[in-house]
Amino acid sequence: MNITGIITAIVIGAIIGSLGRLLLPGRQPIGVIMTVLVGIVAAIIGTAIAQTVGVDTTAGIDWIELVFQVGLAMLGVAIVAALRARRKHRHDTGAR
């Protein structure tokens, strides 16, 4: 993977992760870097799922693939936010 591919992955990850956060109700206590990482993973997995179920690749925007990606980003953001909240709660209460 060259530098252009890496930059493209980061930009797409930022967009997908941001859309996932935007569509998820409530406030998510995760940072920008984690949002981008969740978006990158969601984009990769969403593309793989779309190809597996037979979604055609088109010259324009692949809307069905985008739905898979954003849905997975929403799920990823929700999971990371829940884990962070749980960890913070344990830290605040002194529980282990």
Side-chain angles (χ1 to χ4, degrees):
M1 181 177 253
N2 59 20
I3 191 70
T4 305
I6 293 169
I7 292 170
T8 302
I10 292 169
V11 170
I12 291 173
I15 292 168
I16 297 296
S18 296
L19 285 171
R21 281 187 75 172
L22 181 67
L23 295 173
L24 195 62
R27 185 174 185 283
Q28 298 82 34
I30 68 172
V32 174
I33 293 173
M34 188 57 71
T35 300
V36 172
L37 290 175
V38 168
I40 291 170
V41 171
I44 292 168
I45 295 173
T47 298
I49 291 172
Q51 290 174 351
T52 301
V53 298
V55 174
D56 291 332
T57 301
T58 62
I61 297 173
D62 293 325
W63 293 105
I64 297 171
E65 183 177 327
L66 184 63
V67 168
F68 280 118
Q69 293 170 335
V70 173
L72 287 168
M74 290 172 66
L75 179 64
V77 167
I79 290 170
V80 171
L83 290 173
R84 292 245 170 141
R86 193 168 117 195
R87 191 173 90 192
K88 184 178 182 325
H89 176 72
R90 273 194 208 159
H91 177 69
D92 291 346
T93 61
R96 290 188 184 228

